[in-house]
């Protein structure tokens, strides 16, 4: 069962092909799991639960495990009554960084008055894939830093103080602000200027240049390569291939930005085929996906951590 990424149900339906059921933004496909990136959450163990009363529904869910997010496509009032009888879920914005707990997050939706579809485990550790950070409204010059924070939290790894990081497509400086805030050294590359207060941070060096015409050897070894460059996905892929071949970068987090209304599935598959990496749609992503290749990635948010490069090839 697939819960579509906010606003991207059409892309998810294209990815899944035939489907057995559509309830709001919930798409049911019977049988083998299919490659799907335009999701906010995938229900990994869906089961049908029959019940006679709201109380019985809540009891049956609690008997399985603690955390359940209601995901109503119909019978909203009845779903809310069941949810009221369940332990409350954390709703407060989260500070950065935070460690995602191991406890599973389930989800349920009512099919009719006495029957629900429920999954005790899901790919997202957050209720219906949704969460907010405590935002900093003063420091960063854009809100783009939230998707970088999300990728770091899901991978469970952060740039450490003193590590050397390349931030490509850095202007106006949201990601650079976030990386510099962790104490790492940032080389920020963009054709446009960064905001002066970010460009002049002591651990930030700015190179005003086309990132793609700088060879890895021009920039030297980096512990982390970040890219939020607006470009066609194949241009990003070609550049990343050079970095992989050079062996000069260890960890990568890159936004694959879709152009126009299209989803470039072919290039997405190429990224997924890079061993030890994965592609997913983050809650803070827009019309874009995030490619993550991080040593020791916790793999949160994905159905499996494809260390053999088999991501998206079924299951
Ligand atoms: C979405 S913005 C980046 C926002 C940034 N990550 C932040 O947090 O503030 C995309 C940036 O990519 C830059 N860009 C586009 N093509 C580029 C290229 N070939 N080389 C370097 N930067 C490029 C644009 O100038 C723009 O500043």
């Amino acid at each position: 069962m697939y819960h579509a990424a906010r606003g991207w149900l059409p892309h998810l339906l294209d990815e899944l092909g035939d489907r057995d059921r559509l309830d709001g933004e919930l798409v049911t496909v019977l049988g083998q799991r299919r490659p799907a990136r335009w999701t906010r959450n995938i229900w990994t163990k869906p089961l049908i639960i029959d019940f006679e009363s709201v109380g019985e529904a809540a009891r049956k869910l609690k008997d399985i495990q603690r955390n359940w997010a209601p995901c109503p496509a119909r019978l909203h009032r009845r779903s809310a009554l069941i949810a009221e009888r369940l332990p409350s879920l954390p709703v407060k914005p989260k500070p950065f960084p935070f460690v995602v707990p191991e406890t599973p997050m389930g989800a349920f939706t009512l099919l009719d008055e006495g029957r629900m579809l429920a999954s005790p485990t899901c790919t997202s550790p957050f209720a219906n894939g949704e969460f907010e950070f405590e935002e900093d409204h003063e420091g960063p010059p854009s809100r783009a830093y939230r998707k970088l924070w999300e990728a770091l939290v899901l991978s469970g790894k952060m740039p450490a103080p003193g590590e050397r990081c390349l931030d490509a497509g850095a202007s106006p400086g949201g990601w650079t602000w976030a990386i510099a805030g962790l104490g790492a050294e940032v080389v920020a590359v963009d054709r446009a200027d960064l905001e002066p207060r970010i460009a002049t941070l002591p651990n930030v060096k700015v190179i005003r240049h086309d990132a793609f015409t700088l060879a890895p050897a021009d920039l030297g070894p980096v512990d982390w390569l970040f890219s939020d460059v607006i470009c066609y996905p194949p241009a990003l892929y070609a550049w990343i291939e050079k970095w992989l071949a050079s062996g000069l970068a260890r960890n990568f987090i890159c936004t694959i930005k879709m152009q126009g209304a299209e989803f470039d599935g072919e290039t997405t598959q190429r990224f997924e085929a890079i061993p030890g990496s994965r592609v997913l749609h983050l809650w803070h992503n827009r019309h874009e996906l995030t490619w993550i290749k991080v040593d020791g990635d916790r793999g949160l948010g994905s159905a499996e951590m494809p260390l053999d490069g088999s991501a998206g090839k079924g299951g």
Side-chain angles (χ1 to χ4, degrees):
M1 177 102 125
Y2 304 82
H3 191 172
R6 185 173 37 170
W8 302 113
L9 178 62
H11 281 346
L12 176 62
L13 293 175
D14 279 353
E15 288 190 288
L16 292 174
D18 295 342
R19 60 182 187 265
D20 296 288
R21 204 184 157 103
L22 179 62
D23 302 270
E25 294 191 320
L26 288 172
V27 190
T28 305
V29 176
L30 299 176
Q32 281 257 306
R33 188 148 39 79
R34 300 198 190 149
R37 303 86 179 179
W38 295 95
T39 62
R40 55 157 89 180
N41 198 16
I42 302 175
W43 299 20
T44 47
K45 286 189 189 144
L47 46 103
I48 300 275
I49 299 177
D50 292 311
F51 56 93
E52 304 227 321
S53 66
V54 160
E56 190 192 359
R59 222 170 20 255
K60 284 191 166 174
L61 289 173
K62 276 190 284 189
D63 282 350
I64 303 174
Q65 59 116 335
R66 181 190 187 279
N67 296 321
W68 291 97
C71 186
R74 59 171 73 85
L75 297 159
H76 291 252
R77 176 89 192 113
R78 199 162 170 77
S79 299
L81 289 172
I82 296 171
E84 276 170 19
R85 286 168 170 74
L86 294 167
S88 52
L89 298 174
V91 287
K92 280 211 311 216
K94 312 235 181 274
F96 176 85
F98 70 95
V99 177
V100 178
E102 298 281 339
T103 41
M105 176 64 69
F108 69 93
T109 193
L110 298 192
L111 299 176
D112 59 41
E113 293 269 327
R115 178 168 274 221
M116 67 170 119
L117 193 53
S119 179
T121 57
C122 295
T123 53
S124 176
F126 310 113
N128 292 319
E130 260 176 68
F131 78 103
E132 303 300 333
F133 283 111
E134 283 174 8
E135 283 195 52
D136 184 326
H137 298 287
E138 315 273 296
S142 73
R143 296 177 80 211
Y145 69 94
R146 296 170 307 153
K147 66 189 170 201
L148 176 60
W149 275 4
E150 183 177 349
L152 294 171
V153 162
L154 292 178
S155 69
K157 296 274 284 196
M158 312 275 151
E163 283 192 325
R164 191 163 185 262
C165 305
L166 170 62
D167 182 14
S171 169
W175 285 32
T176 294
W177 168 86
I179 305 158
L182 291 166
E185 302 291 323
V186 191
V187 179
V189 180
D190 202 300
R191 292 192 296 216
D193 286 330
L194 270 71
E195 279 215 2
R197 68 202 162 87
I198 307 296
T200 53
L201 287 170
N203 47 343
V204 172
K205 177 184 166 199
V206 177
I207 302 179
R208 195 166 164 183
H209 208 281
D210 178 343
F212 297 159
T213 57
L214 288 173
D218 298 336
L219 290 157
V222 291
D223 298 290
W224 292 77
L225 184 156
F226 299 102
S227 170
D228 196 25
V229 171
I230 293 181
C231 63
Y232 283 96
L236 177 66
Y237 183 80
W239 187 62
I240 290 298
E241 265 192 317
K242 288 186 201 159
W243 276 95
L244 290 169
S246 75
L248 288 174
R250 208 152 44 86
N251 302 292
F252 299 76
I253 294 181
C254 301
T255 316
I256 308 171
K257 300 195 181 263
M258 300 304 154
Q259 305 296 307
E262 297 302 309
F263 162 44
D264 183 342
E266 200 179 310
T267 306
T268 300
Q269 273 182 12
R270 289 177 149 198
F271 272 105
E272 284 171 332
I274 295 170
S277 79
R278 57 185 175 132
V279 173
L280 72 169
H281 189 273
L282 303 174
W283 176 245
H284 294 97
N285 274 147
R286 296 171 185 234
H287 194 206
E288 59 196 9
L289 297 170
T290 297
W291 176 63
I292 300 177
K293 175 170 163 45
V294 167
D295 285 350
D297 185 355
R298 276 184 80 190
L300 296 168
S302 295
E304 75 241 16
M305 179 51 202
L307 287 171
D308 58 354
S310 63
K313 296 202 174 74

